[in-house]
């Protein structure tokens, strides 16, 4: 890798030229890292529904042409000035949020909303120099979430270091409802299982997901389409008044309302994980708050990347976390659009994209 340090690298990248159109494998130029930046060689990446959401550009500001992707594993190729925590050859997991350890959020005991490195979905340039480091024939190709892992090489700001869902830590013996049984929802179910929940109720309109969800701890399932009454009423009847905790993982504002209204009065907590349409409005009766139900959100599972992620990796290495069961498909990089097709059809959980293919 020393032969490429400080030089522009030409490599393959899957470029989204416009909303909803298939990605195109192009040769792009990747500039060398600037101060506090790291250039990575991506080995494996994966498609998340967030990538699809911003590719479709139905609920946010469209930014194109762009290189999507934010879940990956890679190796440090070179580093910019000021980077002393990483060196070429280090194996890393790039993520879309950061931890500077200096701002008020990083110094607090509860927040992971770093002021310096907070997520900005509209930003298509690097946070430091304010420019894109990807180009084709001298024209910029925009970044995505500071990661852009759908490229054989990518740039990354140092403190953006990946997570099973910490937001579903709950008390032993509790009852949990998980709305949406995609990868994030199944992560929430796994978190509830590891925390000792007695009942984990999966809620989804796709019954094909129920059998697989059982492997992640779900003990019961509810398909809202099977009932004439609101699903929150169904859950209340199943649980003698409501669940102890509900986790919404769909991004659908109606599911968010249902999740909140399904928790038990007096102590129930609903956690919103999904990202709703920018114009969506959450509406519920104030009595639901007055009767001691709690509604909260979570960002990145409430994990701090640099402080908390090593312990997650350790749980995987010791076998406590079984991440392999999330992987249902694998495609070579040249066939990345197949991963989009699988997700749009609602098939599988995570599709691994092999960068060597």
């Amino acid at each position: 890798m020393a032969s490429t340090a400080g030089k522009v690298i030409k490599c393959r990248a899957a470029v989204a030229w416009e909303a909803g159109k298939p990605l195109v494998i192009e040769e792009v130029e990747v500039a060398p890292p600037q101060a506090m930046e790291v250039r990575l060689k991506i080995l494996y990446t994966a498609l998340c529904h967030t990538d699809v959401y911003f590719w479709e550009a139905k609920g946010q500001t469209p930014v194109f042409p762009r290189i999507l992707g934010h879940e990956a594993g890679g190796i440090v190729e070179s580093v910019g000035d000021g980077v002393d925590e990483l060196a070429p050859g280090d194996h890393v997991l790039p993520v879309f949020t950061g931890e500077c350890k200096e701002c008020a959020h990083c110094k607090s005991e509860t927040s992971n909303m770093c002021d310096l490195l907070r997520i900005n979905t509209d930003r298509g340039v690097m946070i430091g120099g304010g420019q894109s480091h990807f180009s084709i024939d001298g024209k910029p190709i925009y970044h995505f979430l500071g990661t852009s892992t759908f490229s054989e090489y990518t740039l990354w700001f140092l403190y953006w270091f990946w997570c099973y869902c910490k937001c579903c830590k709950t008390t032993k013996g509790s009852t949990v409802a998980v709305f949406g049984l995609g990868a994030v929802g199944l992560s929430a179910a796994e978190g509830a299982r590891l925390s000792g929940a007695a009942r984990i109720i999966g809620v989804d309109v796709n019954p094909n997901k129920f059998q697989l969800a059982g492997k992640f701890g779900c003990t019961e399932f509810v398909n809202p389409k099977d009932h004439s009454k609101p699903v929150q009423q169904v859950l209340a009847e199943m649980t003698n008044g409501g669940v102890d905790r509900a986790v919404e993982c769909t991004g659908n504002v109606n599911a968010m309302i249902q999740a909140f209204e399904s928790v038990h009065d007096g102590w129930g907590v609903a956690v919103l994980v999904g990202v709703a349409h920018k114009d969506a409005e959450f509406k519920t009766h104030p009595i639901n708050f007055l009767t001691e139900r709690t509604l909260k959100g979570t960002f990145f599972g409430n994990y701090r990347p640099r402080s908390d992620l090593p312990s997650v990796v350790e749980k995987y290495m010791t076998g406590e976390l079984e991440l392999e069961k999330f992987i249902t498909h694998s495609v070579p990089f040249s066939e990345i659009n197949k991963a989009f097709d699988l997700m749009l059809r609602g098939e599988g959980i995570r599709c691994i994209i092999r960068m060597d293919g």
Side-chain angles (χ1 to χ4, degrees):
M1 292 184 182
S3 63
T4 56
K7 302 176 183 178
V8 171
I9 289 179
K10 291 185 177 181
C11 69
R12 293 182 304 165
V15 179
W17 287 100
E18 53 183 308
K21 299 295 184 181
L23 306 190
V24 180
I25 302 295
E26 305 275 15
E27 182 180 76
V28 301
E29 294 188 340
V30 185
Q34 303 302 307
M36 301 305 292
E37 293 177 355
V38 180
R39 188 162 61 182
L40 308 179
K41 177 182 174 63
I42 300 297
L43 301 179
Y44 297 92
T45 186
L47 179 67
C48 170
H49 198 273
T50 299
D51 299 305
V52 175
Y53 182 71
F54 283 90
W55 167 70
E56 292 178 322
K58 294 179 178 179
Q60 70 291 314
T61 304
V63 180
F64 296 100
R66 198 173 209 182
I67 298 174
L68 300 167
H70 64 283
E71 297 181 356
I75 299 175
V76 174
E77 176 270 335
S78 59
V79 301
D81 292 340
V83 177
D84 53 17
E85 295 184 30
L86 294 172
D90 286 347
H91 288 251
V92 293
L93 299 171
V95 296
F96 57 83
T97 187
E99 182 185 357
C100 72
K101 295 192 174 185
E102 297 296 330
C103 71
H105 282 275
C106 287
K107 289 182 177 180
S108 78
E109 296 182 356
T110 57
S111 176
N112 69 339
M113 303 287 290
C114 177
D115 279 331
L116 175 64
L117 303 170
R118 186 169 301 193
I119 187 172
N120 182 338
T121 58
D122 294 338
R123 185 194 298 125
V125 296
M126 292 298 288
I127 194 171
Q131 294 182 328
S132 173
H133 290 349
F134 295 111
S135 63
I136 295 178
D137 296 330
K139 297 181 180 179
I141 307 296
Y142 295 110
H143 295 252
F144 178 63
L145 300 183
T147 51
S148 291
T149 61
F150 293 169
S151 174
E152 291 177 317
Y153 287 85
T154 190
L155 270 298
W156 171 53
F157 195 74
L158 173 61
Y159 297 136
W160 269 313
F161 278 94
W162 177 58
C163 143
Y164 91 94
C165 201
K166 187 179 177 182
C167 65
C168 205
K169 283 194 172 182
T170 187
T171 55
K172 189 173 182 178
S174 62
T175 297
V176 177
V178 178
F179 286 71
L181 298 176
V184 176
L186 294 178
S187 296
E190 181 84 341
R193 179 187 69 81
L194 292 170
S195 298
R199 299 174 68 185
I200 304 173
I201 306 170
V203 182
D204 203 293
V205 296
N206 184 353
N208 294 328
K209 295 181 177 181
F210 293 165
Q211 183 176 359
L212 182 61
K215 298 179 180 180
F216 293 83
C218 286
T219 58
E220 301 157 69
F221 305 95
V222 173
N223 184 344
K225 292 183 177 180
D226 293 340
H227 301 273
S228 58
K229 61 185 71 173
V231 69
Q232 52 266 55
Q233 185 177 340
V234 174
L235 290 169
E237 293 173 357
M238 290 174 61
T239 57
N240 192 29
V243 298
D244 300 310
R245 180 166 292 225
V247 186
E248 181 283 322
C249 306
T250 70
N252 182 298
V253 70
N254 292 321
M256 295 178 178
I257 295 168
Q258 293 164 356
F260 175 55
E261 295 180 353
S262 72
V263 301
H264 205 291
D265 58 4
W267 62 78
V269 178
V271 182
L272 306 186
V273 181
V275 179
H277 188 285
K278 63 182 178 65
D279 296 324
E281 294 183 351
F282 186 101
K283 297 181 180 180
T284 190
H285 198 284
I287 194 66
N288 291 317
F289 293 99
L290 293 172
T291 48
E292 304 269 338
R293 293 177 176 87
T294 300
L295 175 67
K296 61 181 297 184
T298 186
F299 175 72
F300 197 58
N302 198 231
Y303 271 94
R304 297 182 180 195
R306 299 168 68 197
S307 298
D308 297 336
L309 187 55
S311 66
V312 179
V313 174
E314 184 64 25
K315 289 179 187 294
Y316 169 71
M317 298 299 291
T318 59
E320 186 177 348
L321 285 180
E322 302 172 14
L323 299 184
E324 283 86 354
K325 61 186 178 182
F326 286 89
I327 303 171
T328 53
H329 298 83
S330 176
V331 299
F333 186 48
S334 60
E335 299 177 10
I336 189 172
N337 287 304
K338 287 186 177 180
F340 280 75
D341 294 338
L342 287 166
M343 182 161 288
L344 291 172
R345 293 199 300 266
E347 298 180 14
I349 307 174
R350 269 295 178 270
C351 180
I352 294 296
I353 300 163
R354 309 183 306 274
M355 300 304 288
D356 59 356

